[in-house]
Coordinates of all heavy atoms in Angstrom, one line a residue:
M1 N -10.4 63.3 4.8 CA -9.9 63.7 6.1 C -11.0 63.4 7.3 O -12.1 63.6 7.0 CB -9.6 65.2 6.1 CG -9.2 65.8 7.6 SD -8.6 67.3 7.7 CE -9.6 68.4 6.6
A2 N -10.5 62.8 8.3 CA -11.4 62.3 9.4 C -11.8 63.7 10.2 O -11.0 64.8 10.2 CB -10.6 61.5 10.3
N3 N -13.0 63.7 10.7 CA -13.4 64.8 11.6 C -12.7 64.9 13.0 O -12.4 63.8 13.5 CB -14.9 64.6 11.9 CG -15.8 64.8 10.7 OD1 -15.4 65.4 9.7 ND2 -16.9 64.2 10.8
R4 N -12.2 66.1 13.2 CA -11.5 66.3 14.4 C -12.4 67.1 15.4 O -13.4 67.6 15.1 CB -10.2 67.1 14.2 CG -9.2 66.4 13.4 CD -8.0 67.1 13.1 NE -7.4 67.8 14.2 CZ -6.4 67.4 14.9 NH1 -5.9 66.2 14.6 NH2 -5.9 68.1 16.0
F5 N -12.0 66.8 16.7 CA -12.9 67.3 17.8 C -11.9 68.1 18.9 O -10.7 67.9 18.8 CB -13.6 66.3 18.5 CG -14.7 65.7 17.5 CD1 -14.3 64.6 16.7 CD2 -16.0 66.1 17.5 CE1 -15.2 64.2 15.8 CE2 -17.0 65.6 16.7 CZ -16.6 64.6 15.9
K6 N -12.6 68.7 19.8 CA -11.9 69.2 21.0 C -12.7 69.1 22.1 O -14.0 68.9 22.1 CB -11.6 70.8 20.7 CG -12.9 71.6 20.7 CD -12.6 73.0 20.4 CE -13.8 73.9 20.3 NZ -13.3 75.4 20.2
A7 N -12.2 68.8 23.3 CA -12.9 68.5 24.5 C -12.0 68.8 25.7 O -10.7 69.0 25.6 CB -13.4 67.1 24.7
R8 N -12.6 69.0 26.9 CA -11.8 69.2 28.1 C -11.4 67.9 28.7 O -12.0 66.9 28.8 CB -12.6 70.0 29.2 CG -12.9 71.4 28.7 CD -13.3 72.2 29.9 NE -13.7 73.5 29.3 CZ -13.0 74.5 29.1 NH1 -11.7 74.4 29.3 NH2 -13.4 75.7 28.9
M9 N -10.2 67.8 29.2 CA -9.6 66.6 29.7 C -10.2 66.5 31.1 O -10.6 67.4 31.6 CB -8.1 66.5 29.7 CG -7.4 67.6 30.6 SD -5.6 67.7 30.5 CE -5.4 68.6 28.9
T10 N -10.3 65.2 31.7 CA -10.7 65.0 32.8 C -9.9 65.7 33.9 O -8.7 65.9 33.8 CB -10.9 63.5 33.3 OG1 -9.5 63.0 33.4 CG2 -11.7 62.7 32.4
K11 N -10.6 66.2 35.0 CA -9.8 66.9 36.1 C -8.7 66.0 36.7 O -7.7 66.4 37.0 CB -10.7 67.4 37.2 CG -11.6 68.5 36.7 CD -10.9 69.7 36.4 CE -11.8 70.9 35.9 NZ -11.0 72.0 35.4
E12 N -9.1 64.8 36.9 CA -8.2 63.7 37.4 C -6.8 63.6 36.7 O -5.8 63.5 37.2 CB -8.7 62.3 37.6 CG -10.0 62.3 38.6 CD -11.3 62.9 37.9 OE1 -11.5 62.9 36.6 OE2 -12.3 63.0 38.8
F13 N -7.0 63.5 35.3 CA -5.9 63.4 34.4 C -5.1 64.7 34.4 O -3.9 64.6 34.6 CB -6.4 63.1 33.0 CG -5.3 63.0 32.0 CD1 -4.6 61.8 31.9 CD2 -4.8 63.9 31.3 CE1 -3.6 61.6 31.1 CE2 -3.7 63.8 30.4 CZ -3.2 62.5 30.2
E14 N -5.7 65.8 34.3 CA -5.0 67.1 34.4 C -4.2 67.3 35.7 O -3.1 67.7 35.7 CB -6.1 68.1 34.3 CG -5.5 69.6 34.1 CD -6.6 70.6 33.7 OE1 -7.7 70.3 33.8 OE2 -6.2 71.7 33.3
E15 N -4.9 67.0 36.9 CA -4.1 67.1 38.1 C -3.0 66.1 38.2 O -1.9 66.5 38.8 CB -5.1 66.9 39.3 CG -6.1 68.0 39.5 CD -7.3 67.7 40.3 OE1 -7.3 66.6 40.9 OE2 -8.1 68.6 40.6
E16 N -3.2 64.9 37.8 CA -2.1 63.9 38.0 C -1.0 64.0 37.1 O 0.2 63.6 37.4 CB -2.7 62.5 37.8 CG -1.8 61.4 38.1 CD -2.6 60.0 38.0 OE1 -3.8 59.9 38.3 OE2 -1.9 58.9 37.6
H17 N -1.2 64.7 35.9 CA -0.1 64.8 34.9 C 0.3 66.2 34.4 O 0.6 66.4 33.2 CB -0.6 63.9 33.6 CG -0.9 62.5 33.9 ND1 0.1 61.6 34.1 CD2 -2.0 61.8 34.0 CE1 -0.4 60.4 34.4 NE2 -1.7 60.6 34.3
Q18 N 0.2 67.0 35.4 CA 0.5 68.6 35.0 C 1.8 68.7 34.3 O 1.7 69.4 33.3 CB 0.4 69.3 36.3 CG -0.9 69.6 36.8 CD -0.9 70.4 38.1 OE1 0.2 70.7 38.7 NE2 -2.0 71.1 38.4
D19 N 2.9 68.1 34.6 CA 4.1 68.4 34.1 C 4.2 67.7 32.6 O 4.7 68.5 31.7 CB 5.3 67.8 34.9 CG 5.5 68.8 36.3 OD1 5.1 69.7 36.2 OD2 5.9 68.1 37.3
W20 N 3.7 66.6 32.5 CA 3.6 65.9 31.3 C 2.8 66.6 30.3 O 3.2 66.7 29.2 CB 3.0 64.5 31.6 CG 3.1 63.5 30.3 CD1 4.1 62.7 29.9 CD2 1.9 63.3 29.4 NE1 3.6 62.2 28.6 CE2 2.5 62.5 28.4 CE3 0.6 63.8 29.3 CZ2 1.6 62.2 27.4 CZ3 -0.2 63.4 28.3 CH2 0.3 62.5 27.4
I21 N 1.7 67.0 30.7 CA 0.8 67.8 29.9 C 1.5 69.0 29.2 O 1.4 69.3 28.2 CB -0.6 68.2 30.5 CG1 -1.5 67.0 30.9 CG2 -1.4 69.3 29.8 CD1 -2.4 67.2 31.9
K22 N 2.1 69.8 30.1 CA 2.8 71.0 29.6 C 3.9 70.7 28.6 O 4.1 71.3 27.6 CB 3.5 71.8 30.8 CG 2.5 72.4 31.7 CD 3.2 73.0 32.8 CE 2.1 73.6 33.8 NZ 2.8 74.2 35.0
Q23 N 4.6 69.6 28.9 CA 5.8 69.3 28.0 C 5.4 68.5 26.7 O 5.9 68.9 25.6 CB 6.6 68.3 28.8 CG 7.9 67.9 28.0 CD 8.9 66.9 28.8 OE1 8.6 66.6 30.0 NE2 9.9 66.6 28.2
W24 N 4.3 67.6 26.7 CA 4.1 66.9 25.6 C 2.7 67.2 24.9 O 2.6 67.0 23.7 CB 4.0 65.4 26.1 CG 5.3 65.0 26.5 CD1 5.7 64.8 27.8 CD2 6.5 64.6 25.6 NE1 7.0 64.3 27.7 CE2 7.4 64.3 26.5 CE3 6.7 64.7 24.3 CZ2 8.7 63.9 26.0 CZ3 8.0 64.4 23.8 CH2 9.0 63.9 24.7
L25 N 1.8 67.8 25.6 CA 0.6 68.1 25.0 C 0.2 69.5 24.7 O -0.8 69.9 24.0 CB -0.7 67.6 25.9 CG -0.9 66.2 26.1 CD1 -2.0 65.9 26.9 CD2 -1.2 65.6 24.6
G26 N 1.1 70.4 25.0 CA 0.9 71.9 24.9 C 0.5 72.3 23.6 O -0.4 73.1 23.5
E27 N 1.0 71.8 22.4 CA 0.6 72.2 21.1 C -0.7 71.8 20.8 O -1.3 72.3 19.7 CB 1.7 71.8 20.1 CG 1.7 70.2 19.9 CD 2.7 69.8 18.9 OE1 2.6 69.9 17.7 OE2 3.8 69.3 19.4
F28 N -1.3 70.8 21.5 CA -2.7 70.3 21.2 C -3.9 70.8 22.0 O -4.9 70.6 22.0 CB -2.7 68.7 21.3 CG -1.6 68.0 20.5 CD1 -0.5 67.6 21.1 CD2 -1.6 68.1 19.1 CE1 0.4 67.0 20.3 CE2 -0.7 67.5 18.3 CZ 0.4 66.9 19.0
I29 N -3.3 71.9 23.0 CA -4.3 72.4 23.8 C -4.5 73.8 23.5 O -3.5 74.6 23.4 CB -3.8 72.2 25.4 CG1 -3.8 70.8 25.6 CG2 -4.9 72.9 26.2 CD1 -3.1 70.6 27.1
D30 N -5.7 74.3 23.3 CA -6.0 75.7 22.9 C -6.0 76.6 24.1 O -5.9 76.1 25.3 CB -7.1 75.9 22.1 CG -8.5 75.6 22.8 OD1 -8.6 75.6 23.9 OD2 -9.4 75.2 22.0
A31 N -6.2 77.9 23.9 CA -6.2 78.8 25.0 C -7.4 78.6 26.0 O -7.2 79.2 27.2 CB -6.3 80.2 24.5
D32 N -8.4 78.1 25.6 CA -9.6 77.9 26.4 C -9.5 76.4 27.1 O -10.4 76.1 27.9 CB -10.8 77.8 25.6 CG -11.2 79.1 25.0 OD1 -11.0 80.2 25.6 OD2 -11.6 79.3 23.8
G33 N -8.4 75.8 26.9 CA -8.1 74.5 27.8 C -8.7 73.3 27.1 O -8.8 72.2 27.7
Y34 N -9.1 73.3 25.9 CA -9.7 72.2 25.0 C -8.4 71.5 24.4 O -7.6 72.1 23.8 CB -10.6 72.6 24.0 CG -11.9 73.0 24.5 CD1 -12.3 74.3 24.9 CD2 -13.0 72.0 24.7 CE1 -13.5 74.7 25.4 CE2 -14.3 72.4 25.1 CZ -14.4 73.8 25.4 OH -15.7 74.0 26.0
V35 N -8.4 70.0 24.5 CA -7.4 69.3 23.8 C -8.1 69.0 22.5 O -9.3 68.6 22.4 CB -7.0 68.1 24.6 CG1 -8.1 67.2 25.1 CG2 -5.8 67.4 24.0
H36 N -7.2 69.1 21.4 CA -7.7 68.7 20.0 C -7.3 67.5 19.5 O -6.2 67.1 19.8 CB -7.3 69.9 19.2 CG -7.9 71.2 19.4 ND1 -8.8 71.8 18.6 CD2 -7.8 72.1 20.4 CE1 -9.1 73.0 19.1 NE2 -8.6 73.1 20.3
G37 N -8.1 66.8 18.8 CA -7.7 65.6 18.1 C -9.0 64.7 17.7 O -9.8 65.4 17.2
Y38 N -8.9 63.4 17.6 CA -9.8 62.6 17.2 C -10.7 62.0 18.4 O -10.1 61.6 19.3 CB -9.4 61.5 16.2 CG -8.5 62.0 15.1 CD1 -7.2 62.1 15.2 CD2 -9.1 62.5 14.0 CE1 -6.4 62.6 14.1 CE2 -8.4 63.0 12.9 CZ -7.1 63.1 13.0 OH -6.4 63.7 12.1
S39 N -12.0 61.9 18.2 CA -12.8 61.4 19.2 C -12.8 59.8 19.1 O -13.3 59.3 18.1 CB -14.2 61.9 19.2 OG -15.0 61.3 20.1
V40 N -12.4 59.2 20.3 CA -12.5 57.7 20.3 C -13.1 57.3 21.6 O -12.3 57.3 22.7 CB -11.1 57.0 20.1 CG1 -11.2 55.6 20.2 CG2 -10.5 57.4 18.7
G41 N -14.3 57.0 21.7 CA -14.9 56.7 22.9 C -15.0 57.9 24.0 O -15.3 58.9 23.5
S42 N -14.3 57.7 25.1 CA -14.1 58.8 26.1 C -12.7 59.4 26.0 O -12.3 59.9 27.1 CB -14.5 58.4 27.4 OG -13.8 57.3 27.9
Y43 N -12.2 59.4 24.9 CA -10.9 59.9 24.8 C -10.8 60.8 23.5 O -11.4 60.8 22.6 CB -9.8 58.8 24.5 CG -9.5 57.9 25.7 CD1 -10.5 56.9 26.0 CD2 -8.5 58.2 26.6 CE1 -10.2 56.1 27.1 CE2 -8.5 57.3 27.7 CZ -9.2 56.3 28.0 OH -9.0 55.5 29.1
I44 N -9.8 61.8 23.5 CA -9.4 62.5 22.4 C -7.9 61.9 22.2 O -7.1 61.8 23.1 CB -9.2 64.0 22.6 CG1 -10.7 64.6 22.7 CG2 -8.4 64.7 21.6 CD1 -11.4 64.7 21.5
V45 N -7.6 61.5 20.9 CA -6.3 60.9 20.6 C -5.8 61.7 19.4 O -6.4 62.3 18.7 CB -6.6 59.4 20.2 CG1 -7.2 58.6 21.3 CG2 -7.3 59.2 18.9
G46 N -4.4 61.3 19.3 CA -3.6 62.1 18.2 C -3.5 61.1 17.1 O -4.2 60.0 17.0
D47 N -2.7 61.5 16.2 CA -2.4 60.7 14.9 C -1.8 59.2 15.2 O -1.3 59.1 16.2 CB -1.5 61.3 14.0 CG -2.2 62.6 13.4 OD1 -3.4 62.5 13.3 OD2 -1.4 63.6 13.1
V48 N -2.0 58.4 14.4 CA -1.3 57.0 14.5 C 0.2 57.3 14.0 O 0.4 57.7 13.0 CB -2.0 56.1 13.5 CG1 -1.3 54.7 13.5 CG2 -3.4 55.8 13.9
M49 N 0.9 56.8 15.0 CA 2.3 57.0 14.8 C 3.0 55.7 14.2 O 3.9 55.8 13.4 CB 3.1 57.3 16.1 CG 2.5 58.6 16.8 SD 2.7 60.1 15.7 CE 4.5 60.3 15.6
E50 N 2.4 54.5 14.5 CA 3.0 53.3 14.1 C 1.9 52.3 14.2 O 1.0 52.3 15.2 CB 4.2 52.9 14.9 CG 4.8 51.6 14.4 CD 5.9 51.1 15.3 OE1 6.5 52.0 16.1 OE2 6.3 50.0 15.4
S51 N 1.8 51.4 13.3 CA 0.7 50.4 13.5 C 1.3 49.0 12.8 O 1.8 49.1 11.7 CB -0.6 50.8 13.0 OG -0.5 50.9 11.6
T52 N 0.8 47.9 13.3 CA 0.9 46.6 12.7 C -0.4 45.8 12.8 O -1.4 46.4 13.3 CB 2.0 45.8 13.4 OG1 1.6 45.3 14.7 CG2 3.2 46.5 13.6
D53 N -0.3 44.6 12.4 CA -1.6 43.8 12.6 C -1.8 43.4 14.1 O -2.8 42.8 14.5 CB -1.5 42.6 11.6 CG -0.4 41.6 12.1 OD1 0.6 42.0 12.7 OD2 -0.4 40.5 11.5
E54 N -0.8 43.8 15.0 CA -1.0 43.4 16.4 C -1.2 44.6 17.3 O -1.7 44.5 18.5 CB 0.2 42.7 16.9 CG 0.4 41.2 16.2 CD 1.7 40.5 16.6 OE1 2.3 41.0 17.6 OE2 1.9 39.5 16.1
Y55 N -0.8 45.9 16.9 CA -0.9 47.0 17.8 C -0.9 48.2 17.0 O -0.5 48.4 15.9 CB 0.3 47.0 18.7 CG 1.7 47.2 18.2 CD1 2.1 48.5 18.0 CD2 2.5 46.2 17.7 CE1 3.4 48.8 17.4 CE2 3.7 46.5 17.2 CZ 4.2 47.7 17.1 OH 5.4 48.0 16.5
V56 N -1.3 49.3 17.7 CA -1.3 50.7 17.1 C -0.6 51.5 18.2 O -1.1 51.5 19.5 CB -2.8 51.2 16.9 CG1 -2.9 52.6 16.6 CG2 -3.5 50.4 15.8
V57 N 0.1 52.5 17.8 CA 0.9 53.5 18.6 C 0.3 54.9 18.3 O 0.4 55.3 17.2 CB 2.3 53.5 18.5 CG1 3.0 54.6 19.4 CG2 2.9 52.2 18.9
L58 N -0.4 55.5 19.3 CA -1.1 56.8 19.1 C -0.1 57.9 19.5 O 0.7 57.7 20.5 CB -2.3 56.9 19.7 CG -3.4 55.9 19.3 CD1 -4.6 56.1 20.3 CD2 -3.9 56.1 17.9
E59 N -0.2 59.1 18.9 CA 0.7 60.1 19.3 C 0.4 60.5 20.7 O 1.3 60.9 21.5 CB 0.4 61.3 18.4 CG 1.3 62.5 18.5 CD 1.1 63.6 17.4 OE1 0.1 63.5 16.7 OE2 2.0 64.5 17.4
Y60 N -0.9 60.6 21.0 CA -1.3 60.8 22.5 C -2.7 60.4 22.7 O -3.5 60.1 21.7 CB -1.1 62.3 22.8 CG -1.9 63.1 22.0 CD1 -3.3 63.5 22.2 CD2 -1.5 63.8 20.8 CE1 -4.2 64.4 21.5 CE2 -2.3 64.6 20.1 CZ -3.6 64.8 20.4 OH -4.4 65.6 19.6
W61 N -3.1 60.1 23.9 CA -4.6 59.9 24.2 C -4.8 60.6 25.5 O -4.1 60.4 26.5 CB -4.8 58.3 24.2 CG -4.2 57.5 25.2 CD1 -4.6 57.2 26.4 CD2 -2.9 56.8 25.0 NE1 -3.7 56.4 27.0 CE2 -2.7 56.3 26.1 CE3 -2.0 57.0 24.0 CZ2 -1.4 55.5 26.4 CZ3 -0.8 56.2 24.3 CH2 -0.5 55.6 25.4
V62 N -5.9 61.2 25.6 CA -6.4 62.0 26.8 C -7.7 61.5 27.1 O -8.6 61.8 26.4 CB -6.2 63.5 26.5 CG1 -6.6 64.3 27.8 CG2 -4.7 63.7 26.2
P63 N -8.0 61.2 28.4 CA -9.4 61.0 28.9 C -10.1 62.4 28.9 O -9.5 63.3 29.4 CB -9.3 60.4 30.3 CG -7.9 60.6 30.7 CD -7.1 61.0 29.5
I64 N -11.3 62.4 28.4 CA -12.1 63.6 28.4 C -13.4 63.6 29.2 O -13.9 62.6 29.5 CB -12.3 64.1 26.9 CG1 -13.2 62.9 26.2 CG2 -11.1 64.4 26.2 CD1 -13.9 63.3 24.9
E65 N -13.9 64.8 29.4 CA -15.3 65.1 30.0 C -16.1 64.9 28.8 O -16.1 65.9 27.9 CB -15.2 66.3 30.7 CG -14.4 66.6 31.8 CD -14.7 65.7 33.1 OE1 -15.9 65.2 33.2 OE2 -13.8 65.7 34.0
E66 N -16.8 63.9 28.5 CA -17.7 63.6 27.4 C -18.6 64.7 27.1 O -18.9 64.9 25.8 CB -18.3 62.2 27.5 CG -17.3 61.1 27.3 CD -17.9 59.8 27.3 OE1 -18.8 59.5 26.3 OE2 -17.7 58.9 28.3
H67 N -19.2 65.3 28.1 CA -20.1 66.4 27.9 C -19.5 67.6 27.2 O -20.2 68.6 26.7 CB -20.9 66.7 29.2 CG -20.0 67.2 30.2 ND1 -19.5 68.6 30.3 CD2 -19.4 66.7 31.3 CE1 -18.8 68.8 31.2 NE2 -18.6 67.6 31.9
S68 N -18.2 67.8 27.2 CA -17.5 68.9 26.8 C -17.1 68.8 25.4 O -16.6 69.8 24.7 CB -16.3 69.3 27.6 OG -15.3 68.2 27.4
I69 N -17.3 67.8 24.6 CA -16.9 67.5 23.3 C -17.5 68.4 22.3 O -18.8 68.5 22.3 CB -16.9 66.0 22.9 CG1 -16.0 65.7 21.6 CG2 -18.3 65.5 22.7 CD1 -15.8 64.3 21.3
L70 N -16.8 69.0 21.4 CA -17.3 69.8 20.4 C -16.5 69.6 19.1 O -15.3 69.2 19.2 CB -17.0 71.4 20.7 CG -17.6 71.9 21.9 CD1 -17.1 73.2 22.3 CD2 -19.2 72.0 21.7
P71 N -17.2 69.8 17.9 CA -16.3 69.7 16.7 C -15.4 70.8 16.5 O -15.7 72.0 16.9 CB -17.4 69.7 15.6 CG -18.6 70.3 16.2 CD -18.5 70.1 17.6
E72 N -14.2 70.5 16.0 CA -13.3 71.7 15.6 C -13.9 72.6 14.5 O -14.7 72.2 13.6 CB -12.0 71.1 15.1 CG -11.1 70.8 16.1 CD -9.6 70.5 15.6 OE1 -9.6 70.2 14.4 OE2 -8.6 70.4 16.3
K73 N -13.7 73.8 14.7 CA -14.1 74.8 13.6 C -13.2 74.7 12.4 O -12.0 74.3 12.6 CB -14.0 76.2 14.1 CG -15.0 76.4 15.3 CD -15.0 77.7 15.8 CE -15.9 78.0 17.0 NZ -15.7 79.2 17.8
P74 N -13.7 75.0 11.2 CA -12.7 74.8 9.9 C -11.5 75.7 10.2 O -10.4 75.1 9.8 CB -13.6 75.5 8.9 CG -15.0 75.1 9.3 CD -15.0 75.3 10.9
E75 N -11.4 76.7 10.8 CA -10.2 77.5 10.9 C -9.3 76.8 11.8 O -8.0 77.0 11.8 CB -10.5 79.0 11.3 CG -11.3 79.1 12.7 CD -12.7 79.2 12.5 OE1 -13.2 78.8 11.5 OE2 -13.3 79.6 13.6
E76 N -9.8 76.1 12.8 CA -8.9 75.3 13.8 C -8.3 74.2 13.0 O -7.1 73.9 13.3 CB -9.7 74.9 14.9 CG -10.2 75.9 15.8 CD -11.1 75.5 16.9 OE1 -12.0 74.5 16.7 OE2 -11.1 76.1 18.1
Q77 N -9.0 73.5 12.1 CA -8.4 72.5 11.3 C -7.4 72.9 10.3 O -6.4 72.2 10.0 CB -9.6 71.7 10.6 CG -10.5 71.0 11.6 CD -11.7 70.3 11.0 OE1 -11.8 70.1 9.7 NE2 -12.6 69.8 11.8
A78 N -7.5 74.2 9.9 CA -6.6 74.7 8.8 C -5.2 74.8 9.4 O -4.2 74.8 8.7 CB -7.1 76.0 8.4
N79 N -5.1 74.8 10.8 CA -3.7 75.0 11.4 C -3.0 73.6 11.6 O -2.0 73.6 12.2 CB -3.8 75.6 12.8 CG -4.5 77.1 12.7 OD1 -4.1 77.7 11.7 ND2 -5.1 77.5 13.6
E80 N -3.5 72.6 11.1 CA -2.9 71.4 11.3 C -1.6 71.2 10.6 O -1.4 71.7 9.5 CB -3.7 70.1 10.7 CG -5.0 69.9 11.5 CD -5.9 68.8 10.9 OE1 -5.5 68.0 10.0 OE2 -7.0 68.8 11.3

């Protein structure tokens, strides 16, 4: 199993996509406002939904404040 992380999304992204965040990312955001997933550069991303030798479709990707990234605790990972 790959290591999962949590981090705060950028303020710009949060302000620009408020409605989309509530509708599509709600289950990936905890009560403290951290979005959970896999760390890829300056993003937290979801699972791979589809892939070929030409492209990859991720469940979601969110730009993050890199200084806020933390590893998920084991009890948070158990809820997957």
